[in-house]
Amino acid sequence: MGAPRVNFDSGFRKSFRIWRVSVLLRPRSLARLPSLPPRTLVECMTVQPPGESIDSILAQLRAEEPLEPGSAQRALLRHEIARLEAGRGNQDVAFREWLAAVDTDASFAEPLEALIREARSRQDDGTVPKLLETLVANADDGQALSRALWELASFQQAVQNDRHAARATLERAVEANPADATAWLELETLSVQSGDLPLRNRAVEARSRICGDADHQGVLLIELARIRAARGEISQ
């Protein structure tokens, strides 16, 4: 017997589209998607519509996008169109579609992150910081804000060679999420480069508090004692 044929009607297309997009999204974004019946989900995962080309699927998605009533669903469609275009090498088209997705729903982080990756690959150093600042502005919780600020600080240090700006950005990151070990580690690295013992003391102390591994915590506490001795704070 041959492979089962599926009528690629509008209902199947919508379910297929939602499943493909939902695999890529975070829980925050998934909460905005309609639920799929288990049978439909399995069919979407295992059956390819016969005779459908990428051009045809893109045409269907583009036709459906203006008909969607909500900005979140329209942004999802533009993001999926961009992924398909990028997958077949049309990076300029994908870039425009990701921009459209961000313009449609500024709270949707995935297309913005895709734009940042694309701008970095093009070495577009003028666009990347603007996109990173938008990512910071759109962060909806402390963890997302801290991660976005860490990305911005990394760019400020590695590309713009601005340690002062990077430190200020990392300070904002640990304020937003005091348990962000990565941001504290970057602050410690900056403190070593600049010879700033008070900053290094604070960074290592914070890392020792949030460290979940007893052996690593012991190493950090020994390092902290050495820093304090160098600062003349042996009694502490």
Side-chain angles (χ1 to χ4, degrees), residues 193-233:
Q193 293 172 346
S194 62
D196 189 335
L197 280 178
L199 176 59
R200 188 178 179 190
N201 183 97
R202 189 160 61 90
V204 174
E205 184 177 17
R207 291 179 61 209
S208 69
R209 286 198 306 267
I210 61 181
C211 181
D213 181 84
D215 291 338
H216 189 201
Q217 185 180 50
V219 171
L220 290 171
L221 290 173
I222 292 172
E223 182 182 354
L224 183 60
R226 290 172 176 167
I227 294 169
R228 287 177 171 172
R231 296 182 62 193
E233 301 174 359

Coordinates of all heavy atoms in Angstrom, one line a residue, residues 193-233:
Q193 N 40.1 42.2 34.5 CA 40.8 43.0 33.5 C 41.1 44.4 33.9 O 42.1 45.0 33.5 CB 39.8 43.0 32.3 CG 39.6 41.6 31.6 CD 38.6 41.7 30.5 OE1 37.8 42.6 30.4 NE2 38.5 40.6 29.7
S194 N 40.2 44.9 34.8 CA 40.4 46.3 35.2 C 41.1 46.4 36.6 O 41.4 47.5 37.0 CB 39.0 47.0 35.3 OG 38.2 46.3 36.3
G195 N 41.4 45.3 37.2 CA 42.0 45.3 38.5 C 41.1 45.8 39.6 O 41.6 46.4 40.6
D196 N 39.8 45.7 39.5 CA 38.9 46.2 40.4 C 38.6 45.1 41.5 O 37.7 44.3 41.3 CB 37.6 46.6 39.7 CG 36.6 47.3 40.6 OD1 36.6 47.2 41.8 OD2 35.8 48.1 40.0
L197 N 39.3 45.2 42.6 CA 39.1 44.1 43.6 C 37.7 44.2 44.3 O 37.2 43.1 44.6 CB 40.2 44.3 44.7 CG 41.6 43.6 44.3 CD1 42.6 43.9 45.5 CD2 41.4 42.1 44.1
P198 N 37.2 45.4 44.6 CA 35.9 45.4 45.2 C 34.8 44.7 44.3 O 33.9 44.0 44.8 CB 35.6 46.9 45.4 CG 36.9 47.5 45.6 CD 37.8 46.7 44.6
L199 N 34.9 45.0 43.0 CA 33.9 44.4 42.1 C 34.1 42.9 42.1 O 33.2 42.1 42.1 CB 34.0 45.0 40.7 CG 33.2 44.3 39.6 CD1 31.7 44.4 40.0 CD2 33.4 45.0 38.3
R200 N 35.4 42.5 42.0 CA 35.7 41.0 42.0 C 35.2 40.3 43.3 O 34.6 39.2 43.2 CB 37.2 40.8 41.8 CG 37.5 39.3 41.6 CD 39.0 39.1 41.4 NE 39.4 37.7 41.2 CZ 40.6 37.3 41.1 NH1 41.6 38.1 41.3 NH2 40.8 36.0 41.0
N201 N 35.4 41.0 44.4 CA 34.9 40.5 45.7 C 33.4 40.3 45.6 O 32.9 39.2 46.0 CB 35.3 41.4 46.8 CG 34.9 40.9 48.2 OD1 35.7 40.4 48.9 ND2 33.6 41.2 48.6
R202 N 32.7 41.3 45.1 CA 31.2 41.2 45.1 C 30.8 40.1 44.1 O 29.8 39.3 44.4 CB 30.7 42.5 44.7 CG 29.2 42.7 44.8 CD 28.7 44.1 44.8 NE 29.1 44.8 43.6 CZ 28.4 44.9 42.5 NH1 27.2 44.4 42.5 NH2 28.8 45.6 41.5
A203 N 31.4 40.0 43.0 CA 31.0 39.0 42.0 C 31.3 37.5 42.5 O 30.4 36.7 42.4 CB 31.8 39.2 40.7
V204 N 32.5 37.3 43.1 CA 32.8 36.0 43.6 C 31.9 35.6 44.8 O 31.4 34.5 44.9 CB 34.3 35.9 44.0 CG1 34.6 34.5 44.6 CG2 35.1 36.1 42.7
E205 N 31.6 36.6 45.6 CA 30.7 36.3 46.7 C 29.3 35.9 46.2 O 28.7 35.0 46.8 CB 30.6 37.5 47.6 CG 29.8 37.3 48.9 CD 29.7 38.6 49.8 OE1 30.1 39.7 49.3 OE2 29.4 38.4 50.9
A206 N 28.8 36.6 45.2 CA 27.5 36.3 44.7 C 27.5 34.9 44.1 O 26.6 34.1 44.2 CB 27.1 37.4 43.7
R207 N 28.6 34.6 43.3 CA 28.7 33.3 42.7 C 28.7 32.2 43.7 O 28.1 31.1 43.5 CB 29.9 33.2 41.8 CG 29.8 34.1 40.5 CD 31.0 34.0 39.7 NE 31.2 32.6 39.3 CZ 32.4 32.1 39.0 NH1 33.6 32.8 39.2 NH2 32.5 30.8 38.6
S208 N 29.4 32.4 44.8 CA 29.5 31.4 45.9 C 28.1 31.2 46.5 O 27.8 30.0 46.9 CB 30.5 31.8 46.9 OG 30.1 32.9 47.7
R209 N 27.3 32.2 46.6 CA 26.0 32.1 47.2 C 25.0 31.3 46.4 O 24.2 30.5 46.9 CB 25.4 33.4 47.5 CG 26.0 34.2 48.7 CD 25.0 35.3 49.1 NE 24.7 36.2 48.1 CZ 25.3 37.3 47.8 NH1 26.4 37.7 48.5 NH2 25.0 38.1 46.7
I210 N 25.1 31.5 45.0 CA 24.1 30.8 44.1 C 24.6 29.5 43.6 O 23.9 28.8 42.9 CB 23.7 31.8 43.0 CG1 24.9 32.1 42.1 CG2 23.1 33.0 43.5 CD1 24.6 33.1 41.0
C211 N 25.9 29.1 43.9 CA 26.5 27.9 43.3 C 25.8 26.7 43.9 O 25.6 26.6 45.2 CB 28.0 27.9 43.6 SG 28.8 26.4 43.0
G212 N 25.4 25.8 43.1 CA 24.7 24.6 43.6 C 25.6 23.4 43.8 O 25.1 22.3 44.3
D213 N 26.9 23.5 43.5 CA 27.8 22.4 43.6 C 28.7 22.7 44.8 O 29.4 23.7 44.8 CB 28.6 22.2 42.3 CG 29.6 21.1 42.4 OD1 29.2 19.9 42.2 OD2 30.8 21.3 42.8
A214 N 28.8 21.7 45.8 CA 29.5 22.0 47.0 C 31.0 22.1 46.7 O 31.7 23.0 47.4 CB 29.2 20.8 48.0
D215 N 31.5 21.3 45.9 CA 33.0 21.4 45.6 C 33.3 22.7 44.9 O 34.3 23.4 45.3 CB 33.4 20.2 44.7 CG 33.4 18.9 45.4 OD1 33.4 18.9 46.6 OD2 33.2 17.9 44.7
H216 N 32.5 23.1 43.9 CA 32.8 24.4 43.3 C 32.6 25.6 44.2 O 33.4 26.5 44.2 CB 31.9 24.5 42.1 CG 32.2 25.7 41.2 ND1 31.3 26.3 40.3 CD2 33.4 26.4 41.0 CE1 31.9 27.3 39.7 NE2 33.1 27.4 40.1
Q217 N 31.6 25.4 45.1 CA 31.4 26.5 46.1 C 32.6 26.6 47.0 O 33.0 27.7 47.3 CB 30.2 26.2 46.9 CG 29.8 27.3 47.9 CD 28.5 27.0 48.6 OE1 28.5 25.9 49.2 NE2 27.6 27.9 48.7
G218 N 33.2 25.5 47.3 CA 34.4 25.6 48.2 C 35.6 26.3 47.5 O 36.3 27.1 48.1
V219 N 35.7 26.0 46.2 CA 36.8 26.7 45.4 C 36.5 28.2 45.4 O 37.4 29.0 45.6 CB 36.8 26.2 44.0 CG1 37.7 27.0 43.1 CG2 37.3 24.7 44.0
L220 N 35.2 28.6 45.2 CA 34.9 30.0 45.2 C 35.1 30.7 46.5 O 35.6 31.8 46.6 CB 33.4 30.2 44.8 CG 33.1 29.9 43.3 CD1 31.6 29.9 43.1 CD2 33.8 30.9 42.4
L221 N 34.9 30.0 47.6 CA 35.1 30.5 48.9 C 36.6 30.7 49.2 O 37.0 31.7 49.9 CB 34.4 29.6 50.0 CG 32.9 29.6 50.0 CD1 32.4 28.6 51.0 CD2 32.4 31.0 50.4
I222 N 37.4 29.8 48.7 CA 38.8 30.0 48.9 C 39.3 31.2 48.1 O 40.1 32.0 48.6 CB 39.6 28.7 48.4 CG1 39.3 27.5 49.4 CG2 41.1 29.0 48.3 CD1 39.8 26.2 48.9
E223 N 38.8 31.3 46.9 CA 39.1 32.5 46.1 C 38.7 33.8 46.7 O 39.4 34.8 46.8 CB 38.5 32.4 44.7 CG 38.8 33.5 43.7 CD 38.1 33.4 42.4 OE1 37.5 32.4 42.1 OE2 38.2 34.4 41.6
L224 N 37.5 33.8 47.3 CA 37.0 34.9 48.0 C 37.9 35.3 49.2 O 38.1 36.5 49.5 CB 35.5 34.7 48.5 CG 34.8 35.8 49.2 CD1 34.7 37.0 48.3 CD2 33.4 35.3 49.7
A225 N 38.3 34.3 49.9 CA 39.2 34.6 51.1 C 40.5 35.2 50.6 O 41.1 36.2 51.2 CB 39.5 33.3 51.8
R226 N 41.1 34.8 49.5 CA 42.3 35.4 48.9 C 42.1 36.8 48.5 O 42.9 37.7 48.7 CB 42.8 34.5 47.7 CG 43.3 33.2 48.1 CD 43.6 32.3 46.9 NE 44.2 31.0 47.2 CZ 44.3 30.0 46.4 NH1 43.9 30.1 45.2 NH2 44.9 28.9 46.8
I227 N 40.9 37.1 47.9 CA 40.6 38.5 47.5 C 40.5 39.4 48.7 O 41.0 40.5 48.7 CB 39.3 38.5 46.7 CG1 39.4 37.7 45.4 CG2 38.8 39.9 46.4 CD1 38.1 37.5 44.6
R228 N 39.9 38.9 49.7 CA 39.7 39.7 50.9 C 41.0 39.9 51.6 O 41.3 41.0 52.2 CB 38.7 39.1 51.8 CG 37.3 39.2 51.3 CD 36.3 38.5 52.2 NE 34.9 38.8 51.8 CZ 33.8 38.2 52.3 NH1 33.9 37.3 53.2 NH2 32.6 38.6 51.9
A229 N 41.9 38.9 51.6 CA 43.2 39.1 52.1 C 44.0 40.1 51.4 O 44.7 41.0 52.0 CB 44.0 37.7 52.1
A230 N 43.9 40.1 50.0 CA 44.6 41.1 49.2 C 44.0 42.5 49.5 O 44.8 43.5 49.3 CB 44.4 40.8 47.7
R231 N 42.8 42.6 49.9 CA 42.2 43.9 50.2 C 42.4 44.3 51.7 O 42.0 45.4 52.1 CB 40.7 43.9 50.0 CG 40.3 43.7 48.5 CD 38.8 43.7 48.4 NE 38.2 45.0 48.8 CZ 36.9 45.2 49.0 NH1 36.1 44.2 48.9 NH2 36.5 46.4 49.3
G232 N 43.1 43.4 52.5 CA 43.4 43.7 53.9 C 42.2 43.5 54.8 O 42.1 44.1 55.8
E233 N 41.3 42.5 54.3 CA 40.1 42.2 55.1 C 40.2 40.8 55.6 O 39.3 40.0 55.6 CB 38.9 42.4 54.2 CG 38.7 43.8 53.6 CD 37.6 43.9 52.7 OE1 36.9 42.8 52.4 OE2 37.3 44.9 52.1

